Amino acid sequence: MSRLPSELEINAALAHRRRLQAVRLTGMLDSPKDERFDRLTRLAAKLIDVPATFISFIDEDRDFYKSSYWAHPPQHDVREVEGRTFCHYGLVSAGPLVVDNVVDHPEFQAIPLIDVLGVRAYLGVPLITDDGMHLGSFCAIDMRARHWTERDIEILSELAHSTLREIKLQQALEDVARNLEAAKEAVRKHEELVATIAHDLLGPLQVVTFSAESLLLGDLTPAQRTSLTRVSIAGDGMADRLKSLTGTASRSLSGLVLKDVSVDDVLSRATSMMAAIADRKQVRLEFEVEAGLPHIRVDLARLLRILGALIGNAVKFGPANATVRITAERHYDMICVSVIDHGMGIPEDQLPHLFDRLRQPDFDQSQAPGVGLGLAIAKELVEAHGGTISATSTHGKGSTFSFTLPVDSDDPG
């Protein structure tokens, strides 16, 4: 056996910052037992005929046993030990620590396990990373003095290498899993961003297109008619491209910007926002708010999106020269907002699927084209605010879409 390291050298190795970081990066400390490592300690004990073998990882103030095998298991399964251990002496050596008889080496008398377990012989092979960091040891003990043979040392060294390969494999698999999740998240966020931008642009673009088409009905000079026709055609083409971008949408609802708003103000803004679309079909938008409603705490931009989707559908699927009513009233601690139309209604078998992504009612699609994303987004936005959304309909008579929002708890109303 070569010169043993001094206490100063051992303590410096125990506290080495890069070594401790390498140990923690393995994920072994405080991890549950693992059959992959238990198989290695069992095999070691049988091949070199010893009563106990261990795979230890050495932290700053303890040895943690990832795996241990006992020919005669102790009453209590100890998975970590504090204080000086044999494994500490291997921290400053690249080779095995071979002790045939601890009685011949008074330096080891400070190790508690000698008296507690009656250890007389020790063989330990350090677990060393490719960049030279000592993680711990693969070790064997015997309760009687013995001569460790070259074969014993070779077997334990090979099993130590197998342990390091298992650690590398586990780290590689974890890296792959993390990278895969990161890639999925990046793709999802990209799709959400594209779909959200596309959907948000469709509303204003529709206003521009409808306005151009309305102006084309009036008296125009040839140059004006040509320009407005180009606007209308370009708008239709852009709308088609935007709709195609929403096909793989997965809407994210994180980051709501909440503020207190009055329900009356919200409905006023929503009807003003949708007035141009309603005017094209000569549909009247009317809203009615129950007196004395308290404020609601919402993301105003996203609440307007909810109302825009519901009012837009009511106008699109309803008849011309009709009225769409928007009402708000209190139901206990919730505000219920309803959009009521007198259109064609929705078949009963389609009601359960109205808020599915990329799905619209299967009737008269030609008169009211869309992408089937608005109601799905509206549902997710309502739920992000802590509310619910539902629809009732009588085929041939009309539909009512209602959603709830929590009352602002700081405003008694």
Side-chain angles (χ1 to χ4, degrees), residues 236-300:
D236 288 340
M238 185 178 293
D240 289 338
R241 288 190 290 274
L242 288 173
K243 291 171 186 176
S244 70
L245 292 176
T246 64
T248 57
S250 176
R251 179 75 182 101
S252 171
L253 298 173
S254 58
L256 292 177
V257 180
L258 303 177
K259 64 178 181 179
D260 294 338
V261 296
S262 76
V263 180
D264 193 279
D265 181 54
V266 171
L267 297 195
S268 177
R269 290 190 187 207
T271 52
S272 296
M273 178 181 71
M274 302 302 294
I277 295 174
D279 289 346
R280 183 172 183 263
K281 291 185 68 174
Q282 296 181 329
V283 171
R284 294 178 299 279
L285 300 180
E286 299 178 353
F287 71 91
E288 180 181 351
V289 178
E290 179 184 320
L293 286 186
H295 282 198
I296 50 177
R297 189 167 181 76
V298 296
D299 186 315
L300 180 58

Short mmCIF file of all heavy atoms in Angstrom, two decimals, residues 236-300:
data_model
loop_
_atom_site.label_atom_id
_atom_site.label_comp_id
_atom_site.label_asym_id
_atom_site.label_seq_id
_atom_site.Cartn_x
_atom_site.Cartn_y
_atom_site.Cartn_z
N ASP A 236 -58.63 39.66 -48.67
CA ASP A 236 -59.10 38.28 -48.70
C ASP A 236 -57.93 37.30 -48.74
O ASP A 236 -57.94 36.26 -48.06
CB ASP A 236 -60.01 38.05 -49.91
CG ASP A 236 -61.37 38.73 -49.75
OD1 ASP A 236 -61.74 39.03 -48.59
OD2 ASP A 236 -62.04 38.97 -50.77
N GLY A 237 -56.92 37.62 -49.54
CA GLY A 237 -55.76 36.75 -49.64
C GLY A 237 -55.00 36.67 -48.32
O GLY A 237 -54.57 35.58 -47.90
N MET A 238 -54.85 37.82 -47.67
CA MET A 238 -54.15 37.83 -46.39
C MET A 238 -54.94 37.05 -45.35
O MET A 238 -54.37 36.34 -44.52
CB MET A 238 -53.92 39.26 -45.93
CG MET A 238 -53.08 39.36 -44.66
SD MET A 238 -52.78 41.07 -44.17
CE MET A 238 -51.74 41.62 -45.52
N ALA A 239 -56.26 37.17 -45.38
CA ALA A 239 -57.09 36.44 -44.43
C ALA A 239 -56.91 34.94 -44.59
O ALA A 239 -56.81 34.19 -43.61
CB ALA A 239 -58.56 36.82 -44.60
N ASP A 240 -56.84 34.47 -45.85
CA ASP A 240 -56.63 33.04 -46.08
C ASP A 240 -55.30 32.58 -45.52
O ASP A 240 -55.19 31.50 -44.92
CB ASP A 240 -56.69 32.74 -47.59
CG ASP A 240 -58.10 32.86 -48.16
OD1 ASP A 240 -59.06 32.77 -47.35
OD2 ASP A 240 -58.24 33.05 -49.38
N ARG A 241 -54.26 33.39 -45.71
CA ARG A 241 -52.94 33.00 -45.19
C ARG A 241 -52.93 33.00 -43.66
O ARG A 241 -52.32 32.13 -43.03
CB ARG A 241 -51.86 33.94 -45.74
CG ARG A 241 -51.57 33.70 -47.23
CD ARG A 241 -50.35 34.47 -47.67
NE ARG A 241 -50.57 35.90 -47.72
CZ ARG A 241 -51.08 36.57 -48.74
NH1 ARG A 241 -51.45 35.90 -49.83
NH2 ARG A 241 -51.22 37.88 -48.70
N LEU A 242 -53.59 33.98 -43.06
CA LEU A 242 -53.63 34.03 -41.60
C LEU A 242 -54.38 32.84 -41.04
O LEU A 242 -53.99 32.26 -40.02
CB LEU A 242 -54.28 35.33 -41.13
CG LEU A 242 -53.47 36.61 -41.33
CD1 LEU A 242 -54.31 37.83 -40.99
CD2 LEU A 242 -52.21 36.59 -40.46
N LYS A 243 -55.47 32.46 -41.71
CA LYS A 243 -56.23 31.30 -41.24
C LYS A 243 -55.40 30.03 -41.29
O LYS A 243 -55.49 29.18 -40.40
CB LYS A 243 -57.50 31.13 -42.06
CG LYS A 243 -58.53 32.23 -41.83
CD LYS A 243 -59.66 32.15 -42.83
CE LYS A 243 -60.62 33.33 -42.68
NZ LYS A 243 -61.68 33.32 -43.70
N SER A 244 -54.56 29.90 -42.32
CA SER A 244 -53.73 28.69 -42.43
C SER A 244 -52.72 28.62 -41.31
O SER A 244 -52.29 27.53 -40.92
CB SER A 244 -53.02 28.67 -43.78
OG SER A 244 -52.01 29.67 -43.84
N LEU A 245 -52.31 29.76 -40.77
CA LEU A 245 -51.31 29.77 -39.70
C LEU A 245 -51.87 29.32 -38.36
O LEU A 245 -51.12 29.03 -37.44
CB LEU A 245 -50.73 31.18 -39.55
CG LEU A 245 -49.86 31.69 -40.70
CD1 LEU A 245 -49.44 33.12 -40.44
CD2 LEU A 245 -48.63 30.80 -40.86
N THR A 246 -53.19 29.29 -38.24
CA THR A 246 -53.78 28.90 -36.95
C THR A 246 -54.03 27.41 -36.84
O THR A 246 -54.50 26.93 -35.82
CB THR A 246 -55.12 29.64 -36.73
OG1 THR A 246 -56.05 29.21 -37.74
CG2 THR A 246 -54.94 31.14 -36.80
N GLY A 247 -53.69 26.65 -37.85
CA GLY A 247 -54.04 25.23 -37.89
C GLY A 247 -53.39 24.39 -36.82
O GLY A 247 -53.91 23.37 -36.41
N THR A 248 -52.19 24.79 -36.35
CA THR A 248 -51.49 24.00 -35.34
C THR A 248 -51.45 24.74 -34.02
O THR A 248 -50.56 24.55 -33.21
CB THR A 248 -50.05 23.70 -35.80
OG1 THR A 248 -49.39 24.94 -36.07
CG2 THR A 248 -50.05 22.84 -37.04
N ALA A 249 -52.45 25.59 -33.79
CA ALA A 249 -52.42 26.45 -32.61
C ALA A 249 -52.56 25.66 -31.32
O ALA A 249 -53.31 24.72 -31.23
CB ALA A 249 -53.53 27.48 -32.70
N SER A 250 -51.86 26.12 -30.32
CA SER A 250 -52.03 25.64 -28.94
C SER A 250 -51.89 26.85 -28.05
O SER A 250 -50.80 27.30 -27.77
CB SER A 250 -50.97 24.59 -28.60
OG SER A 250 -51.10 24.22 -27.26
N ARG A 251 -52.98 27.39 -27.62
CA ARG A 251 -53.02 28.72 -27.01
C ARG A 251 -52.47 28.74 -25.58
O ARG A 251 -52.89 27.96 -24.75
CB ARG A 251 -54.47 29.21 -27.01
CG ARG A 251 -54.67 30.57 -26.40
CD ARG A 251 -54.18 31.67 -27.32
NE ARG A 251 -54.34 32.93 -26.68
CZ ARG A 251 -53.36 33.59 -26.10
NH1 ARG A 251 -52.15 33.12 -26.10
NH2 ARG A 251 -53.59 34.75 -25.52
N SER A 252 -51.53 29.64 -25.32
CA SER A 252 -51.01 29.79 -23.97
C SER A 252 -51.74 30.92 -23.27
O SER A 252 -51.97 31.96 -23.86
CB SER A 252 -49.51 30.11 -24.02
OG SER A 252 -49.05 30.45 -22.75
N LEU A 253 -52.05 30.72 -21.99
CA LEU A 253 -52.84 31.71 -21.26
C LEU A 253 -52.08 32.27 -20.08
O LEU A 253 -52.67 32.83 -19.16
CB LEU A 253 -54.14 31.06 -20.79
CG LEU A 253 -55.01 30.57 -21.95
CD1 LEU A 253 -56.18 29.79 -21.41
CD2 LEU A 253 -55.47 31.71 -22.82
N SER A 254 -50.75 32.09 -20.09
CA SER A 254 -49.98 32.65 -18.99
C SER A 254 -49.84 34.15 -19.17
O SER A 254 -49.97 34.67 -20.27
CB SER A 254 -48.59 32.00 -18.95
OG SER A 254 -47.94 32.22 -20.18
N GLY A 255 -49.58 34.86 -18.09
CA GLY A 255 -49.28 36.27 -18.19
C GLY A 255 -50.49 37.18 -18.33
O GLY A 255 -50.41 38.18 -19.05
N LEU A 256 -51.60 36.86 -17.69
CA LEU A 256 -52.74 37.76 -17.72
C LEU A 256 -52.37 39.07 -17.02
O LEU A 256 -51.75 39.07 -15.97
CB LEU A 256 -53.94 37.13 -17.00
CG LEU A 256 -54.60 35.92 -17.66
CD1 LEU A 256 -55.72 35.41 -16.77
CD2 LEU A 256 -55.13 36.24 -19.04
N VAL A 257 -52.76 40.19 -17.63
CA VAL A 257 -52.53 41.51 -17.03
C VAL A 257 -53.87 42.00 -16.49
O VAL A 257 -54.73 42.47 -17.23
CB VAL A 257 -51.97 42.50 -18.08
CG1 VAL A 257 -51.73 43.86 -17.43
CG2 VAL A 257 -50.68 41.96 -18.68
N LEU A 258 -54.06 41.86 -15.19
CA LEU A 258 -55.37 42.11 -14.59
C LEU A 258 -55.49 43.54 -14.09
O LEU A 258 -54.54 44.12 -13.57
CB LEU A 258 -55.58 41.15 -13.41
CG LEU A 258 -55.50 39.65 -13.74
CD1 LEU A 258 -55.66 38.84 -12.47
CD2 LEU A 258 -56.53 39.26 -14.78
N LYS A 259 -56.69 44.10 -14.27
CA LYS A 259 -57.00 45.41 -13.70
C LYS A 259 -58.51 45.50 -13.49
O LYS A 259 -59.29 44.75 -14.10
CB LYS A 259 -56.51 46.53 -14.59
CG LYS A 259 -57.17 46.61 -15.96
CD LYS A 259 -56.62 47.81 -16.73
CE LYS A 259 -57.27 47.96 -18.10
NZ LYS A 259 -56.76 49.14 -18.83
N ASP A 260 -58.93 46.40 -12.62
CA ASP A 260 -60.34 46.58 -12.32
C ASP A 260 -61.01 47.38 -13.43
O ASP A 260 -60.53 48.45 -13.82
CB ASP A 260 -60.52 47.31 -10.99
CG ASP A 260 -60.03 46.49 -9.81
OD1 ASP A 260 -59.97 45.25 -9.96
OD2 ASP A 260 -59.71 47.06 -8.75
N VAL A 261 -62.13 46.86 -13.94
CA VAL A 261 -62.88 47.56 -14.99
C VAL A 261 -64.36 47.42 -14.68
O VAL A 261 -64.81 46.49 -14.00
CB VAL A 261 -62.58 46.98 -16.39
CG1 VAL A 261 -61.13 47.18 -16.77
CG2 VAL A 261 -62.94 45.50 -16.46
N SER A 262 -65.12 48.36 -15.21
CA SER A 262 -66.58 48.28 -15.05
C SER A 262 -67.16 47.45 -16.18
O SER A 262 -66.68 47.50 -17.32
CB SER A 262 -67.19 49.67 -15.05
OG SER A 262 -67.24 50.20 -16.36
N VAL A 263 -68.18 46.67 -15.87
CA VAL A 263 -68.82 45.83 -16.88
C VAL A 263 -69.44 46.69 -17.97
O VAL A 263 -69.36 46.36 -19.16
CB VAL A 263 -69.88 44.93 -16.22
CG1 VAL A 263 -70.55 44.04 -17.26
CG2 VAL A 263 -69.27 44.08 -15.11
N ASP A 264 -70.04 47.80 -17.58
CA ASP A 264 -70.67 48.70 -18.56
C ASP A 264 -69.65 49.18 -19.58
O ASP A 264 -69.90 49.20 -20.79
CB ASP A 264 -71.30 49.88 -17.82
CG ASP A 264 -72.23 50.68 -18.72
OD1 ASP A 264 -71.72 51.52 -19.49
OD2 ASP A 264 -73.45 50.47 -18.67
N ASP A 265 -68.45 49.55 -19.09
CA ASP A 265 -67.41 50.05 -20.00
C ASP A 265 -66.94 48.95 -20.94
O ASP A 265 -66.70 49.19 -22.13
CB ASP A 265 -66.24 50.59 -19.17
CG ASP A 265 -65.13 51.15 -20.05
OD1 ASP A 265 -65.44 52.02 -20.89
OD2 ASP A 265 -63.97 50.72 -19.91
N VAL A 266 -66.82 47.74 -20.42
CA VAL A 266 -66.37 46.63 -21.26
C VAL A 266 -67.35 46.36 -22.39
O VAL A 266 -66.95 46.22 -23.56
CB VAL A 266 -66.18 45.36 -20.41
CG1 VAL A 266 -65.93 44.15 -21.30
CG2 VAL A 266 -65.02 45.54 -19.44
N LEU A 267 -68.63 46.29 -22.07
CA LEU A 267 -69.62 46.00 -23.12
C LEU A 267 -69.72 47.15 -24.12
O LEU A 267 -69.96 46.92 -25.32
CB LEU A 267 -70.98 45.71 -22.49
CG LEU A 267 -71.06 44.48 -21.57
CD1 LEU A 267 -72.52 44.11 -21.31
CD2 LEU A 267 -70.31 43.30 -22.15
N SER A 268 -69.56 48.37 -23.64
CA SER A 268 -69.57 49.51 -24.55
C SER A 268 -68.41 49.42 -25.54
O SER A 268 -68.57 49.64 -26.75
CB SER A 268 -69.48 50.81 -23.75
OG SER A 268 -69.41 51.93 -24.61
N ARG A 269 -67.25 49.09 -25.04
CA ARG A 269 -66.08 48.96 -25.92
C ARG A 269 -66.27 47.82 -26.92
O ARG A 269 -65.91 47.94 -28.09
CB ARG A 269 -64.83 48.71 -25.09
CG ARG A 269 -64.36 49.89 -24.27
CD ARG A 269 -62.99 49.60 -23.71
NE ARG A 269 -62.54 50.61 -22.79
CZ ARG A 269 -61.27 50.90 -22.54
NH1 ARG A 269 -60.33 50.22 -23.19
NH2 ARG A 269 -60.93 51.83 -21.69
N ALA A 270 -66.81 46.70 -26.42
CA ALA A 270 -66.96 45.54 -27.29
C ALA A 270 -67.93 45.82 -28.43
O ALA A 270 -67.67 45.46 -29.59
CB ALA A 270 -67.44 44.34 -26.47
N THR A 271 -69.06 46.47 -28.14
CA THR A 271 -70.03 46.75 -29.20
C THR A 271 -69.47 47.77 -30.18
O THR A 271 -69.71 47.68 -31.40
CB THR A 271 -71.35 47.26 -28.60
OG1 THR A 271 -71.09 48.35 -27.71
CG2 THR A 271 -72.06 46.15 -27.84
N SER A 272 -68.71 48.75 -29.70
CA SER A 272 -68.08 49.72 -30.60
C SER A 272 -67.07 49.03 -31.51
O SER A 272 -66.97 49.32 -32.71
CB SER A 272 -67.40 50.83 -29.80
OG SER A 272 -68.34 51.57 -29.07
N MET A 273 -66.30 48.11 -30.92
CA MET A 273 -65.28 47.39 -31.68
C MET A 273 -65.89 46.56 -32.81
O MET A 273 -65.32 46.45 -33.89
CB MET A 273 -64.50 46.49 -30.71
CG MET A 273 -63.42 45.63 -31.34
SD MET A 273 -62.61 44.58 -30.10
CE MET A 273 -63.92 43.39 -29.76
N MET A 274 -67.06 45.97 -32.56
CA MET A 274 -67.68 45.09 -33.54
C MET A 274 -68.72 45.78 -34.41
O MET A 274 -69.38 45.13 -35.24
CB MET A 274 -68.33 43.91 -32.81
CG MET A 274 -67.38 43.10 -31.95
SD MET A 274 -66.00 42.40 -32.88
CE MET A 274 -66.86 41.25 -33.96
N ALA A 275 -68.86 47.09 -34.26
CA ALA A 275 -69.92 47.81 -34.98
C ALA A 275 -69.77 47.73 -36.49
O ALA A 275 -70.76 47.57 -37.22
CB ALA A 275 -69.95 49.27 -34.52
N ALA A 276 -68.52 47.84 -36.97
CA ALA A 276 -68.31 47.83 -38.43
C ALA A 276 -68.75 46.50 -39.04
O ALA A 276 -69.36 46.46 -40.12
CB ALA A 276 -66.85 48.11 -38.75
N ILE A 277 -68.44 45.41 -38.35
CA ILE A 277 -68.84 44.10 -38.85
C ILE A 277 -70.36 43.94 -38.80
O ILE A 277 -70.98 43.41 -39.73
CB ILE A 277 -68.15 42.99 -38.03
CG1 ILE A 277 -66.64 43.05 -38.24
CG2 ILE A 277 -68.69 41.61 -38.37
CD1 ILE A 277 -65.85 42.11 -37.37
N ALA A 278 -70.97 44.42 -37.73
CA ALA A 278 -72.43 44.33 -37.62
C ALA A 278 -73.13 45.20 -38.66
O ALA A 278 -74.15 44.79 -39.24
CB ALA A 278 -72.86 44.74 -36.21
N ASP A 279 -72.57 46.38 -38.92
CA ASP A 279 -73.20 47.29 -39.88
C ASP A 279 -73.26 46.67 -41.27
O ASP A 279 -74.19 46.95 -42.05
CB ASP A 279 -72.43 48.61 -39.94
CG ASP A 279 -72.62 49.44 -38.68
OD1 ASP A 279 -73.55 49.11 -37.90
OD2 ASP A 279 -71.85 50.38 -38.45
N ARG A 280 -72.29 45.86 -41.61
CA ARG A 280 -72.28 45.27 -42.95
C ARG A 280 -73.52 44.42 -43.19
O ARG A 280 -74.01 44.32 -44.32
CB ARG A 280 -71.01 44.41 -43.12
CG ARG A 280 -70.84 43.81 -44.51
CD ARG A 280 -69.48 43.15 -44.64
NE ARG A 280 -69.30 42.64 -45.98
CZ ARG A 280 -69.50 41.37 -46.33
NH1 ARG A 280 -69.91 40.50 -45.42
NH2 ARG A 280 -69.31 40.97 -47.58
N LYS A 281 -74.03 43.78 -42.13
CA LYS A 281 -75.25 42.97 -42.26
C LYS A 281 -76.46 43.69 -41.69
O LYS A 281 -77.51 43.08 -41.52
CB LYS A 281 -75.06 41.62 -41.56
CG LYS A 281 -74.07 40.70 -42.24
CD LYS A 281 -74.02 39.33 -41.59
CE LYS A 281 -75.31 38.57 -41.79
NZ LYS A 281 -75.25 37.18 -41.28
N GLN A 282 -76.26 44.97 -41.39
CA GLN A 282 -77.34 45.77 -40.81
C GLN A 282 -77.90 45.12 -39.55
O GLN A 282 -79.10 45.05 -39.33
CB GLN A 282 -78.45 45.98 -41.85
CG GLN A 282 -77.98 46.79 -43.07
CD GLN A 282 -79.10 47.02 -44.07
OE1 GLN A 282 -80.00 46.19 -44.22
NE2 GLN A 282 -79.04 48.15 -44.76
N VAL A 283 -76.96 44.61 -38.73
CA VAL A 283 -77.32 43.99 -37.46
C VAL A 283 -77.11 45.03 -36.35
O VAL A 283 -76.09 45.72 -36.31
CB VAL A 283 -76.44 42.75 -37.18
CG1 VAL A 283 -76.65 42.24 -35.76
CG2 VAL A 283 -76.77 41.64 -38.19
N ARG A 284 -78.10 45.16 -35.49
CA ARG A 284 -78.00 46.09 -34.37
C ARG A 284 -77.38 45.39 -33.17
O ARG A 284 -77.76 44.27 -32.82
CB ARG A 284 -79.39 46.62 -33.99
CG ARG A 284 -80.04 47.48 -35.08
CD ARG A 284 -81.43 47.92 -34.66
NE ARG A 284 -82.32 46.78 -34.45
CZ ARG A 284 -82.93 46.14 -35.43
NH1 ARG A 284 -82.76 46.51 -36.69
NH2 ARG A 284 -83.73 45.12 -35.15
N LEU A 285 -76.44 46.06 -32.54
CA LEU A 285 -75.83 45.55 -31.32
C LEU A 285 -76.36 46.35 -30.15
O LEU A 285 -76.23 47.56 -30.11
CB LEU A 285 -74.29 45.66 -31.38
CG LEU A 285 -73.58 44.91 -32.52
CD1 LEU A 285 -72.07 45.13 -32.42
CD2 LEU A 285 -73.90 43.42 -32.48
N GLU A 286 -76.98 45.67 -29.20
CA GLU A 286 -77.52 46.32 -28.01
C GLU A 286 -76.97 45.65 -26.77
O GLU A 286 -76.82 44.42 -26.74
CB GLU A 286 -79.06 46.24 -28.00
CG GLU A 286 -79.73 46.91 -29.19
CD GLU A 286 -81.24 46.75 -29.16
OE1 GLU A 286 -81.75 45.99 -28.28
OE2 GLU A 286 -81.93 47.36 -30.01
N PHE A 287 -76.65 46.43 -25.76
CA PHE A 287 -76.20 45.81 -24.52
C PHE A 287 -76.97 46.37 -23.33
O PHE A 287 -77.40 47.52 -23.33
CB PHE A 287 -74.68 45.96 -24.33
CG PHE A 287 -74.20 47.34 -24.01
CD1 PHE A 287 -74.08 47.77 -22.70
CD2 PHE A 287 -73.85 48.21 -25.04
CE1 PHE A 287 -73.63 49.04 -22.41
CE2 PHE A 287 -73.39 49.48 -24.76
CZ PHE A 287 -73.27 49.91 -23.44
N GLU A 288 -77.13 45.52 -22.34
CA GLU A 288 -77.89 45.88 -21.14
C GLU A 288 -77.15 45.33 -19.92
O GLU A 288 -76.83 44.15 -19.85
CB GLU A 288 -79.29 45.28 -21.22
CG GLU A 288 -80.16 45.59 -20.02
CD GLU A 288 -81.54 44.96 -20.13
OE1 GLU A 288 -81.87 44.42 -21.21
OE2 GLU A 288 -82.28 44.98 -19.12
N VAL A 289 -76.88 46.22 -18.96
CA VAL A 289 -76.12 45.86 -17.77
C VAL A 289 -76.99 46.05 -16.54
O VAL A 289 -77.60 47.13 -16.37
CB VAL A 289 -74.84 46.70 -17.65
CG1 VAL A 289 -74.07 46.34 -16.38
CG2 VAL A 289 -73.96 46.51 -18.89
N GLU A 290 -77.07 45.04 -15.72
CA GLU A 290 -77.82 45.14 -14.47
C GLU A 290 -77.27 46.29 -13.63
O GLU A 290 -76.04 46.44 -13.49
CB GLU A 290 -77.73 43.82 -13.70
CG GLU A 290 -78.45 43.81 -12.37
CD GLU A 290 -78.24 42.52 -11.62
OE1 GLU A 290 -78.25 41.44 -12.27
OE2 GLU A 290 -78.04 42.57 -10.39
N ALA A 291 -78.14 47.07 -13.04
CA ALA A 291 -77.72 48.22 -12.25
C ALA A 291 -76.91 47.78 -11.02
O ALA A 291 -77.23 46.77 -10.39
CB ALA A 291 -78.93 49.04 -11.81
N GLY A 292 -75.90 48.57 -10.70
CA GLY A 292 -75.14 48.35 -9.48
C GLY A 292 -74.15 47.20 -9.51
O GLY A 292 -73.72 46.73 -8.44
N LEU A 293 -73.78 46.74 -10.69
CA LEU A 293 -72.82 45.64 -10.74
C LEU A 293 -71.46 46.11 -10.25
O LEU A 293 -71.01 47.21 -10.57
CB LEU A 293 -72.67 45.11 -12.18
CG LEU A 293 -73.81 44.27 -12.74
CD1 LEU A 293 -73.42 43.72 -14.11
CD2 LEU A 293 -74.17 43.13 -11.80
N PRO A 294 -70.77 45.27 -9.48
CA PRO A 294 -69.42 45.63 -9.04
C PRO A 294 -68.43 45.52 -10.20
O PRO A 294 -68.73 44.94 -11.25
CB PRO A 294 -69.12 44.58 -7.97
CG PRO A 294 -69.92 43.40 -8.37
CD PRO A 294 -71.19 43.95 -8.98
N HIS A 295 -67.26 46.06 -10.00
CA HIS A 295 -66.21 45.93 -11.00
C HIS A 295 -65.74 44.48 -11.08
O HIS A 295 -65.94 43.68 -10.17
CB HIS A 295 -65.03 46.83 -10.64
CG HIS A 295 -65.29 48.27 -10.99
ND1 HIS A 295 -64.28 49.20 -11.10
CD2 HIS A 295 -66.43 48.94 -11.26
CE1 HIS A 295 -64.79 50.38 -11.41
NE2 HIS A 295 -66.10 50.24 -11.50
N ILE A 296 -65.11 44.16 -12.19
CA ILE A 296 -64.48 42.85 -12.35
C ILE A 296 -62.99 43.08 -12.57
O ILE A 296 -62.58 44.10 -13.12
CB ILE A 296 -65.08 42.06 -13.53
CG1 ILE A 296 -65.14 42.92 -14.79
CG2 ILE A 296 -66.46 41.54 -13.17
CD1 ILE A 296 -65.66 42.18 -16.02
N ARG A 297 -62.19 42.12 -12.11
CA ARG A 297 -60.73 42.21 -12.27
C ARG A 297 -60.32 41.26 -13.39
O ARG A 297 -60.34 40.03 -13.21
CB ARG A 297 -60.03 41.86 -10.96
CG ARG A 297 -58.54 42.14 -10.98
CD ARG A 297 -57.97 42.08 -9.57
NE ARG A 297 -56.54 42.36 -9.55
CZ ARG A 297 -56.00 43.57 -9.66
NH1 ARG A 297 -56.78 44.63 -9.81
NH2 ARG A 297 -54.69 43.74 -9.64
N VAL A 298 -59.98 41.84 -14.53
CA VAL A 298 -59.76 41.03 -15.73
C VAL A 298 -58.60 41.59 -16.54
O VAL A 298 -58.12 42.70 -16.30
CB VAL A 298 -61.02 41.00 -16.62
CG1 VAL A 298 -62.18 40.33 -15.92
CG2 VAL A 298 -61.40 42.42 -17.06
N ASP A 299 -58.17 40.80 -17.52
CA ASP A 299 -57.28 41.29 -18.57
C ASP A 299 -58.18 41.87 -19.65
O ASP A 299 -58.84 41.13 -20.38
CB ASP A 299 -56.44 40.13 -19.11
CG ASP A 299 -55.38 40.58 -20.11
OD1 ASP A 299 -55.73 41.39 -20.99
OD2 ASP A 299 -54.23 40.13 -20.02
N LEU A 300 -58.24 43.18 -19.74
CA LEU A 300 -59.23 43.83 -20.61
C LEU A 300 -59.06 43.42 -22.06
O LEU A 300 -60.06 43.13 -22.75
CB LEU A 300 -59.11 45.36 -20.48
CG LEU A 300 -60.08 46.17 -21.34
CD1 LEU A 300 -61.52 45.80 -21.02
CD2 LEU A 300 -59.84 47.66 -21.14
#
